[in-house]
Amino acid sequence: MTTSAAEFIALDERWSTHNYHPLPVVIAEADGAWVTDVEGRRYLDFLSAYSALNFGHRHPALVAAAQEQLGRVTLTSRAFHHDQLGAFCRELAELTGTEMVLPMNSGAEAVESALKVARKWAYEVKGVPDGQAEIVVAGSNFHGRTTTIISFSTDESARAGFGPYTPGFTVVKYGDAAALRDAITERTAAVLLEPIQGEAGVLVPPEGYLAEARRLCDEAGTLLIADEIQSGLARTGTLLALEPSGVRADLYTLGKALGGGILPLSAVVGRRDVLGVLKPGEHGSTFGGNPLACAVGRAVIKLLSTGEFQARSVELGARMHARLGELVGHGLAEVRGRGLWAGIDITPGGLSGREACEALAAKGLLAKETHGATLRLAPPLVISEADLDRGLDILEEVLAD
Ligand SMILES: *Cc1c(COP(=O)(O)O)cnc(C)c1O
């Protein structure tokens, strides 16, 4: 007898911690933009694992790269060299126009690594007195779940109950350049920003904000760190979401899609004189930069180097935003985003975000609410026009009034 979805859900409920509240869909298989549940129902995936699946489920080139590497060597630790690390770092630096790469695993680790590097740089290069470095961050940020990172979260459910909190962070309103200016001092090591805030509901900052942040950092001799873990790697129509503002960061954190939806792979990329402050023994990770991850990462870089996925995001994104725009005033209060990425707010008094996602799933579309009545849409960049339209039809059926 086959196990029903309800039985799998009961098993999860009984044995796994309850730090998530998943929709009642039990996925057994996936391909491209589609997933199939244990009872054979098919769904279009409009979440893409929060953009970790930019290339869709099991992209053939990425699966092939993983399989090839599985037949050779998967893990060495960094106690030895291996034949994938240098090439991965070089190719990622060339792709992003940066000088050096620090490979890690999860996104939160990349952010933690960038914060450590920025502090060390502040003491060794900028001359901030030891133990006094400050890092300025934005309200409504999402940078991960470690104790230090949640210390500067403004989301109470992420933060409350996990103190004592790591000091050394100043939180200012996202999108407010004057507040940023007032928060930067001579002890500021770095300003850490998401070019577009994903978890907050795909918040695009006001025109000129990021360029002004860059100018303020230059003026104060402070690093600008762009967290592109969700916004980067073609999601918004450019390799990095910072590009349209003409701004370059000193450090970028990358993750999610960097592992091709196959394994966790993150990195800090940026200036050699900044990342170069790390000396042997000062930072590391057993799995960071492992051969299997590097091989998959290299295949991801190859996909991104053609510009094809960036172009798809622009084209399909225009198509999606045109349709979503028609729903504003007819079920949606607001639509934000860029490329094939949108945050949509359901009209107050309508369905809650959770109810909307349950109704969408019942009709074969997977999406996830973020805060309250906001849904984030991030279809895989490999989705066909027909499938995108099909998903948008379902969205319209559920949300239009
Ligand atoms: C998801 C995310 C992270 C954390 O990545 P994990 O792999 O979940 O640790 C950090 N920053 C941003 C902007 C993210 O979207």
Side-chain angles (χ1 to χ4, degrees), residues 32-50:
W34 290 90
V35 305
T36 307
D37 76 6
V38 288
E39 291 168 4
R41 280 182 295 261
R42 297 182 78 224
Y43 305 82
L44 266 173
D45 185 352
F46 266 34
L47 179 65
S48 302
Y50 307 98

Side-chain angles (χ1 to χ4, degrees), residues 106-109 111 142-144 194 199 227 229-230 256:
S106 70
E109 281 177 308
V111 174
F142 185 85
H143 298 290
E194 295 159 86
E199 294 300 305
D227 183 348
I229 290 168
Q230 193 166 157
K256 293 203 164 99

Side-chain angles (χ1 to χ4, degrees), residues 74-98:
T74 55
L75 186 63
T76 58
S77 86
R78 295 289 302 276
F80 313 104
H81 293 275
H82 64 77
D83 62 9
Q84 296 298 310
L85 180 69
F88 165 71
C89 293
R90 177 190 178 158
E91 288 158 13
L92 186 59
E94 286 175 353
L95 181 77
T96 54
T98 56

Side-chain angles (χ1 to χ4, degrees), residues 236-285:
T236 65
T238 46
L239 181 75
L240 298 165
L242 214 44
E243 280 170 46
S245 56
V247 168
R248 297 288 305 168
D250 302 297
L251 298 177
Y252 296 88
T253 53
L254 302 173
K256 293 203 164 99
L258 191 59
I262 294 181
L263 39 71
L265 173 58
S266 67
V268 186
V269 302
R271 278 166 49 183
R272 176 173 295 276
D273 62 327
V274 180
L275 285 166
V277 299
L278 290 179
K279 302 287 176 318
E282 294 175 350
H283 191 59
S285 160

